[in-house]
Amino acid sequence: MPRRPGDRFIGGGTPRNPGADLARLPLGLDLSALSMAEGIRAALACAVVILANEWLGWPPLVYMALASFFTCLCDAGGPIRFRVPALLAFTVLGAATWMGFGLLRNAGVAVAIPIACATLFLFSFARIWGTSATSVGNILSIVLILSLNQPLALHQALEVGAMFVAGGLWATVLTMGIWRVHLYRPARTAVSECWRRLAALAEGLRQLILAGGEDSAAFDAHGRAHRRAVREEIEYARGLVMELAGKRGRLSLRGSQSLLRLEACDQVFGSLIALAGVVEGSKDTARLQAAETLLRLLRPMLVVLSRSMLDDTPLRLPALTRAGERALAATAHDPVLRPLTEAILDRLRIAALLSTPGGYLPGGGAGVAPSQPWRDRVLAPLLSNLNWHSAILRHAVRVPAVATPALVLTLPYGQQFAYWLTITAVVTLQPFYATTWQRALERVGGTVLGGLVGALLAYLPSTPLQMAMLLFPLCAVAFAARQVSFVAWIAGVTPIVVVLMELVHPGHSSWEVAELRALFTVAGGLIAVAGAWLLWPSWEPVRLGQEQRQAITAHAAYAKAVMSDLLGEPNAGSFDAARRAAGVTTNNLETSLSRALQEPGGSRSPAVAQATLVDATLRRIAGRLSALWYDTAARESLDPAHGEAWRNWLSQSLGALTTGNTPIAPRPELPPGDALANPLSRIARQIELLEGALRRGHEHGPAEATGMAPQR
């Protein structure tokens, strides 16, 4: 996907901003994710200990360095209060794992391998508890595999355990020291990114208007690229802010400001979706010109707001006010664009006031959010995933099934670096085939590139002390680029491994280490891909039906909420909640579509073709529903009887589409010249188009092939 104004990634989409092409792997570089603080923390945690080892000549310090390195890897980010417990849990479990399996290795591989594989199942299944648990489980799996490489006597095990705890605590203390003063920075940064992506959406929509506004395929691509990215970022930021509220029990003034800014952003997002629904296919030249002027003025306003939030600096309100007045003047004579513009500027005004000194008036805490009981946080995910339909459970079973042959092939022969084979196979394997294939490509490519760099770097220094000093910049660069892309991360961490192996095993040349790492990584990646293909795969075209049903159901609820609000019925908060749910389920459908397209033969699957049409149609329906909600003339002229009939028809017709073969009733009649005739007819045409496509799919293939099979 070409770069657009405001984008800060190169080489294509990224996991957080995948772009319009769902079939393209998100392998781009997200330059906005660079974090020098994380790089410095990792360098201090690992490289300083290695330097101490070279100075003191005490080999157990290597285990402390490894523990520090692994603890940094476990850190999934977020507020400090919630990261530290995960890091401490990893420290304790990692020490116990290395000690226990180091001692168990003395009993022989026939005893160690079955117990190790059972433990790998538990570590893999931990992903049911979220991102932090996934990170901890993955790194614990690496620790387990490394611990099997060398039997330990009791005194050695105690020494390794003590050093591991020391390394984990050292990295945790550094985490607290570097990030402690920035409790709300992750949330503030995420909210700022929401506004920046909103600016990119506005600019993309403006370019569509300049191109004529009649290219439906271009509008579909715009929706996939920008609406999906904005919704993902809003939900990510919402999670950070609400996690602060849930764990603390209340939000401070700063947290409340982040939440208000986020809600204002979400409502501006809804207005821009409505604007897209208004201008798509429009031949009204005056309306298109007014909309283009609005978007041209809006984009810099959004960018300025984003920068102000990121830097935590006051805004120049007079400049924003003048730009808003010009936008109002441009849309003053359009009965549809005028209320949209007023709604957007009202939300901008709220966000702007929160970025001025007046927005920081003292007042203590604000907002109470009761935390979820720990039993619910632990038991609910566990119980919901204890069935074979759970992709996470099948993945957890798949991991030991893949690890067992790898361990059998490598452990008995004592090859010094053969554990890379098992580690690569285990950490590359993902719950879905498409993500496993992507991770294998990223890991192999990054390893080969990083191995070449590491071999060259390790060849230049002439003493162990110089090599140890080289680790500091290597760790800083690798961890700073950790979130830029997985390829960049692996390319950065591989030179660290090469140099470490030169220090720990000085008998091996750097080129030999790089070659062996590349060889075992390629072999492990192939094993992981084969395991995802052969062992209880979760093929995405079969899963698309569930995502389609949920998306259509959410849009039925959205249509009902819009019409109920137009009728003046009391439904406080239901409109925004229904709009959000519609956007989230459409994003989920597109994520599933993306995985399906990346599977072998996915582009030829009837289910994929149908889901692509459903996705585009639902986005168009959502835009036109949003535009209808802002249509003042339609709201004022709505006859209650007609409104109720259309509300029932919209929600019931969309609900009927979830079965795949239930015909929808004829649309209600409206008097000629009614203000609602045109907007409701546009929505009705999309529903009828969708009904025809789903019916043809049902007629031409089994339910599983069309993606509309009943959920098992």
PDB file of all heavy atoms in Angstrom, residues 121 384-398 535-538:
ATOM      1  N   PHE A 121       2.692 -27.270  27.140  1.00  0.00           N
ATOM      2  CA  PHE A 121       1.244 -27.106  26.940  1.00  0.00           C
ATOM      3  C   PHE A 121       0.695 -26.025  27.863  1.00  0.00           C
ATOM      4  O   PHE A 121      -0.061 -25.146  27.436  1.00  0.00           O
ATOM      5  CB  PHE A 121       0.528 -28.431  27.182  1.00  0.00           C
ATOM      6  CG  PHE A 121      -0.965 -28.284  27.327  1.00  0.00           C
ATOM      7  CD1 PHE A 121      -1.785 -28.199  26.218  1.00  0.00           C
ATOM      8  CD2 PHE A 121      -1.552 -28.205  28.592  1.00  0.00           C
ATOM      9  CE1 PHE A 121      -3.161 -28.032  26.347  1.00  0.00           C
ATOM     10  CE2 PHE A 121      -2.921 -28.052  28.735  1.00  0.00           C
ATOM     11  CZ  PHE A 121      -3.725 -27.966  27.606  1.00  0.00           C
ATOM     12  N   SER A 384     -14.065 -20.919  29.364  1.00  0.00           N
ATOM     13  CA  SER A 384     -14.540 -20.716  27.994  1.00  0.00           C
ATOM     14  C   SER A 384     -13.625 -21.349  26.958  1.00  0.00           C
ATOM     15  O   SER A 384     -14.033 -21.551  25.809  1.00  0.00           O
ATOM     16  CB  SER A 384     -14.679 -19.216  27.708  1.00  0.00           C
ATOM     17  OG  SER A 384     -13.419 -18.580  27.772  1.00  0.00           O
ATOM     18  N   ASN A 385     -12.384 -21.682  27.347  1.00  0.00           N
ATOM     19  CA  ASN A 385     -11.445 -22.271  26.386  1.00  0.00           C
ATOM     20  C   ASN A 385     -11.193 -23.762  26.613  1.00  0.00           C
ATOM     21  O   ASN A 385     -10.379 -24.352  25.898  1.00  0.00           O
ATOM     22  CB  ASN A 385     -10.106 -21.530  26.437  1.00  0.00           C
ATOM     23  CG  ASN A 385     -10.152 -20.218  25.703  1.00  0.00           C
ATOM     24  OD1 ASN A 385     -10.003 -20.156  24.488  1.00  0.00           O
ATOM     25  ND2 ASN A 385     -10.375 -19.138  26.446  1.00  0.00           N
ATOM     26  N   LEU A 386     -11.876 -24.343  27.585  1.00  0.00           N
ATOM     27  CA  LEU A 386     -11.696 -25.774  27.830  1.00  0.00           C
ATOM     28  C   LEU A 386     -12.636 -26.592  26.953  1.00  0.00           C
ATOM     29  O   LEU A 386     -13.467 -27.366  27.439  1.00  0.00           O
ATOM     30  CB  LEU A 386     -11.921 -26.093  29.315  1.00  0.00           C
ATOM     31  CG  LEU A 386     -10.788 -25.685  30.253  1.00  0.00           C
ATOM     32  CD1 LEU A 386     -11.150 -26.025  31.698  1.00  0.00           C
ATOM     33  CD2 LEU A 386      -9.478 -26.389  29.861  1.00  0.00           C
ATOM     34  N   ASN A 387     -12.535 -26.410  25.647  1.00  0.00           N
ATOM     35  CA  ASN A 387     -13.284 -27.221  24.693  1.00  0.00           C
ATOM     36  C   ASN A 387     -12.504 -27.232  23.381  1.00  0.00           C
ATOM     37  O   ASN A 387     -11.728 -26.321  23.093  1.00  0.00           O
ATOM     38  CB  ASN A 387     -14.703 -26.674  24.489  1.00  0.00           C
ATOM     39  CG  ASN A 387     -14.710 -25.293  23.875  1.00  0.00           C
ATOM     40  OD1 ASN A 387     -14.602 -25.155  22.654  1.00  0.00           O
ATOM     41  ND2 ASN A 387     -14.830 -24.268  24.708  1.00  0.00           N
ATOM     42  N   TRP A 388     -12.716 -28.263  22.587  1.00  0.00           N
ATOM     43  CA  TRP A 388     -11.901 -28.468  21.390  1.00  0.00           C
ATOM     44  C   TRP A 388     -12.177 -27.437  20.305  1.00  0.00           C
ATOM     45  O   TRP A 388     -11.415 -27.305  19.361  1.00  0.00           O
ATOM     46  CB  TRP A 388     -12.118 -29.878  20.842  1.00  0.00           C
ATOM     47  CG  TRP A 388     -11.058 -30.293  19.848  1.00  0.00           C
ATOM     48  CD1 TRP A 388     -11.224 -30.594  18.537  1.00  0.00           C
ATOM     49  CD2 TRP A 388      -9.661 -30.440  20.106  1.00  0.00           C
ATOM     50  NE1 TRP A 388     -10.031 -30.915  17.941  1.00  0.00           N
ATOM     51  CE2 TRP A 388      -9.044 -30.838  18.900  1.00  0.00           C
ATOM     52  CE3 TRP A 388      -8.854 -30.267  21.244  1.00  0.00           C
ATOM     53  CZ2 TRP A 388      -7.677 -31.065  18.789  1.00  0.00           C
ATOM     54  CZ3 TRP A 388      -7.487 -30.502  21.124  1.00  0.00           C
ATOM     55  CH2 TRP A 388      -6.920 -30.902  19.916  1.00  0.00           C
ATOM     56  N   HIS A 389     -13.259 -26.682  20.410  1.00  0.00           N
ATOM     57  CA  HIS A 389     -13.526 -25.630  19.436  1.00  0.00           C
ATOM     58  C   HIS A 389     -12.639 -24.405  19.683  1.00  0.00           C
ATOM     59  O   HIS A 389     -12.573 -23.525  18.831  1.00  0.00           O
ATOM     60  CB  HIS A 389     -14.996 -25.211  19.499  1.00  0.00           C
ATOM     61  CG  HIS A 389     -15.942 -26.329  19.172  1.00  0.00           C
ATOM     62  ND1 HIS A 389     -15.875 -27.037  17.995  1.00  0.00           N
ATOM     63  CD2 HIS A 389     -16.970 -26.867  19.887  1.00  0.00           C
ATOM     64  CE1 HIS A 389     -16.830 -27.960  17.980  1.00  0.00           C
ATOM     65  NE2 HIS A 389     -17.502 -27.878  19.121  1.00  0.00           N
ATOM     66  N   SER A 390     -11.977 -24.343  20.828  1.00  0.00           N
ATOM     67  CA  SER A 390     -11.103 -23.224  21.138  1.00  0.00           C
ATOM     68  C   SER A 390      -9.812 -23.332  20.330  1.00  0.00           C
ATOM     69  O   SER A 390      -9.063 -24.310  20.444  1.00  0.00           O
ATOM     70  CB  SER A 390     -10.777 -23.193  22.635  1.00  0.00           C
ATOM     71  OG  SER A 390      -9.706 -22.317  22.896  1.00  0.00           O
ATOM     72  N   ALA A 391      -9.518 -22.295  19.531  1.00  0.00           N
ATOM     73  CA  ALA A 391      -8.275 -22.283  18.758  1.00  0.00           C
ATOM     74  C   ALA A 391      -7.060 -22.252  19.682  1.00  0.00           C
ATOM     75  O   ALA A 391      -6.005 -22.810  19.352  1.00  0.00           O
ATOM     76  CB  ALA A 391      -8.257 -21.080  17.818  1.00  0.00           C
ATOM     77  N   ILE A 392      -7.194 -21.624  20.858  1.00  0.00           N
ATOM     78  CA  ILE A 392      -6.070 -21.549  21.792  1.00  0.00           C
ATOM     79  C   ILE A 392      -5.784 -22.922  22.400  1.00  0.00           C
ATOM     80  O   ILE A 392      -4.612 -23.304  22.558  1.00  0.00           O
ATOM     81  CB  ILE A 392      -6.363 -20.514  22.885  1.00  0.00           C
ATOM     82  CG1 ILE A 392      -6.433 -19.116  22.264  1.00  0.00           C
ATOM     83  CG2 ILE A 392      -5.306 -20.553  23.982  1.00  0.00           C
ATOM     84  CD1 ILE A 392      -6.733 -18.020  23.255  1.00  0.00           C
ATOM     85  N   LEU A 393      -6.827 -23.678  22.728  1.00  0.00           N
ATOM     86  CA  LEU A 393      -6.602 -25.021  23.268  1.00  0.00           C
ATOM     87  C   LEU A 393      -5.931 -25.912  22.223  1.00  0.00           C
ATOM     88  O   LEU A 393      -4.971 -26.637  22.534  1.00  0.00           O
ATOM     89  CB  LEU A 393      -7.930 -25.638  23.719  1.00  0.00           C
ATOM     90  CG  LEU A 393      -7.824 -27.076  24.252  1.00  0.00           C
ATOM     91  CD1 LEU A 393      -6.978 -27.118  25.510  1.00  0.00           C
ATOM     92  CD2 LEU A 393      -9.204 -27.671  24.518  1.00  0.00           C
ATOM     93  N   ARG A 394      -6.412 -25.867  20.984  1.00  0.00           N
ATOM     94  CA  ARG A 394      -5.784 -26.682  19.939  1.00  0.00           C
ATOM     95  C   ARG A 394      -4.335 -26.256  19.719  1.00  0.00           C
ATOM     96  O   ARG A 394      -3.457 -27.088  19.488  1.00  0.00           O
ATOM     97  CB  ARG A 394      -6.576 -26.576  18.636  1.00  0.00           C
ATOM     98  CG  ARG A 394      -7.966 -27.185  18.707  1.00  0.00           C
ATOM     99  CD  ARG A 394      -8.535 -27.468  17.329  1.00  0.00           C
ATOM    100  NE  ARG A 394      -8.626 -26.279  16.507  1.00  0.00           N
ATOM    101  CZ  ARG A 394      -9.658 -25.443  16.510  1.00  0.00           C
ATOM    102  NH1 ARG A 394     -10.679 -25.670  17.333  1.00  0.00           N
ATOM    103  NH2 ARG A 394      -9.683 -24.387  15.724  1.00  0.00           N
ATOM    104  N   HIS A 395      -4.088 -24.963  19.814  1.00  0.00           N
ATOM    105  CA  HIS A 395      -2.711 -24.481  19.681  1.00  0.00           C
ATOM    106  C   HIS A 395      -1.838 -25.009  20.814  1.00  0.00           C
ATOM    107  O   HIS A 395      -0.694 -25.435  20.583  1.00  0.00           O
ATOM    108  CB  HIS A 395      -2.705 -22.953  19.688  1.00  0.00           C
ATOM    109  CG  HIS A 395      -1.347 -22.353  19.855  1.00  0.00           C
ATOM    110  ND1 HIS A 395      -0.391 -22.392  18.874  1.00  0.00           N
ATOM    111  CD2 HIS A 395      -0.777 -21.699  20.922  1.00  0.00           C
ATOM    112  CE1 HIS A 395       0.715 -21.790  19.296  1.00  0.00           C
ATOM    113  NE2 HIS A 395       0.501 -21.363  20.533  1.00  0.00           N
ATOM    114  N   ALA A 396      -2.365 -24.969  22.039  1.00  0.00           N
ATOM    115  CA  ALA A 396      -1.594 -25.446  23.185  1.00  0.00           C
ATOM    116  C   ALA A 396      -1.273 -26.931  23.064  1.00  0.00           C
ATOM    117  O   ALA A 396      -0.201 -27.380  23.492  1.00  0.00           O
ATOM    118  CB  ALA A 396      -2.363 -25.165  24.477  1.00  0.00           C
ATOM    119  N   VAL A 397      -2.176 -27.711  22.477  1.00  0.00           N
ATOM    120  CA  VAL A 397      -1.907 -29.136  22.242  1.00  0.00           C
ATOM    121  C   VAL A 397      -0.913 -29.302  21.095  1.00  0.00           C
ATOM    122  O   VAL A 397      -0.054 -30.206  21.107  1.00  0.00           O
ATOM    123  CB  VAL A 397      -3.224 -29.879  21.932  1.00  0.00           C
ATOM    124  CG1 VAL A 397      -2.952 -31.329  21.554  1.00  0.00           C
ATOM    125  CG2 VAL A 397      -4.164 -29.809  23.126  1.00  0.00           C
ATOM    126  N   ARG A 398      -0.992 -28.424  20.100  1.00  0.00           N
ATOM    127  CA  ARG A 398      -0.112 -28.494  18.931  1.00  0.00           C
ATOM    128  C   ARG A 398       1.349 -28.226  19.304  1.00  0.00           C
ATOM    129  O   ARG A 398       2.268 -28.803  18.720  1.00  0.00           O
ATOM    130  CB  ARG A 398      -0.592 -27.487  17.886  1.00  0.00           C
ATOM    131  CG  ARG A 398      -0.034 -27.693  16.489  1.00  0.00           C
ATOM    132  CD  ARG A 398      -0.534 -26.602  15.562  1.00  0.00           C
ATOM    133  NE  ARG A 398      -1.979 -26.631  15.412  1.00  0.00           N
ATOM    134  CZ  ARG A 398      -2.785 -25.605  15.646  1.00  0.00           C
ATOM    135  NH1 ARG A 398      -2.280 -24.456  16.046  1.00  0.00           N
ATOM    136  NH2 ARG A 398      -4.083 -25.718  15.472  1.00  0.00           N
ATOM    137  N   LEU A 535      -1.660 -30.397  11.974  1.00  0.00           N
ATOM    138  CA  LEU A 535      -2.180 -30.749  13.297  1.00  0.00           C
ATOM    139  C   LEU A 535      -3.354 -29.852  13.675  1.00  0.00           C
ATOM    140  O   LEU A 535      -3.177 -28.713  14.099  1.00  0.00           O
ATOM    141  CB  LEU A 535      -1.065 -30.629  14.347  1.00  0.00           C
ATOM    142  CG  LEU A 535       0.176 -31.505  14.101  1.00  0.00           C
ATOM    143  CD1 LEU A 535       1.253 -31.197  15.139  1.00  0.00           C
ATOM    144  CD2 LEU A 535      -0.192 -32.978  14.132  1.00  0.00           C
ATOM    145  N   TRP A 536      -4.546 -30.345  13.505  1.00  0.00           N
ATOM    146  CA  TRP A 536      -5.781 -29.695  13.926  1.00  0.00           C
ATOM    147  C   TRP A 536      -5.812 -28.221  13.512  1.00  0.00           C
ATOM    148  O   TRP A 536      -5.971 -27.328  14.358  1.00  0.00           O
ATOM    149  CB  TRP A 536      -5.944 -29.809  15.454  1.00  0.00           C
ATOM    150  CG  TRP A 536      -5.586 -31.157  15.938  1.00  0.00           C
ATOM    151  CD1 TRP A 536      -6.261 -32.310  15.747  1.00  0.00           C
ATOM    152  CD2 TRP A 536      -4.413 -31.502  16.702  1.00  0.00           C
ATOM    153  NE1 TRP A 536      -5.602 -33.363  16.330  1.00  0.00           N
ATOM    154  CE2 TRP A 536      -4.458 -32.900  16.927  1.00  0.00           C
ATOM    155  CE3 TRP A 536      -3.333 -30.786  17.210  1.00  0.00           C
ATOM    156  CZ2 TRP A 536      -3.473 -33.573  17.627  1.00  0.00           C
ATOM    157  CZ3 TRP A 536      -2.354 -31.462  17.912  1.00  0.00           C
ATOM    158  CH2 TRP A 536      -2.430 -32.826  18.114  1.00  0.00           C
ATOM    159  N   PRO A 537      -5.654 -27.943  12.231  1.00  0.00           N
ATOM    160  CA  PRO A 537      -5.595 -26.541  11.789  1.00  0.00           C
ATOM    161  C   PRO A 537      -6.942 -25.840  11.955  1.00  0.00           C
ATOM    162  O   PRO A 537      -7.998 -26.458  11.872  1.00  0.00           O
ATOM    163  CB  PRO A 537      -5.209 -26.645  10.310  1.00  0.00           C
ATOM    164  CG  PRO A 537      -5.729 -27.990   9.892  1.00  0.00           C
ATOM    165  CD  PRO A 537      -5.570 -28.893  11.094  1.00  0.00           C
ATOM    166  N   SER A 538      -6.880 -24.538  12.170  1.00  0.00           N
ATOM    167  CA  SER A 538      -8.077 -23.701  12.221  1.00  0.00           C
ATOM    168  C   SER A 538      -8.152 -22.934  10.911  1.00  0.00           C
ATOM    169  O   SER A 538      -7.684 -21.801  10.815  1.00  0.00           O
ATOM    170  CB  SER A 538      -7.994 -22.730  13.407  1.00  0.00           C
ATOM    171  OG  SER A 538      -7.900 -23.415  14.623  1.00  0.00           O
TER     172      SER A 538
END
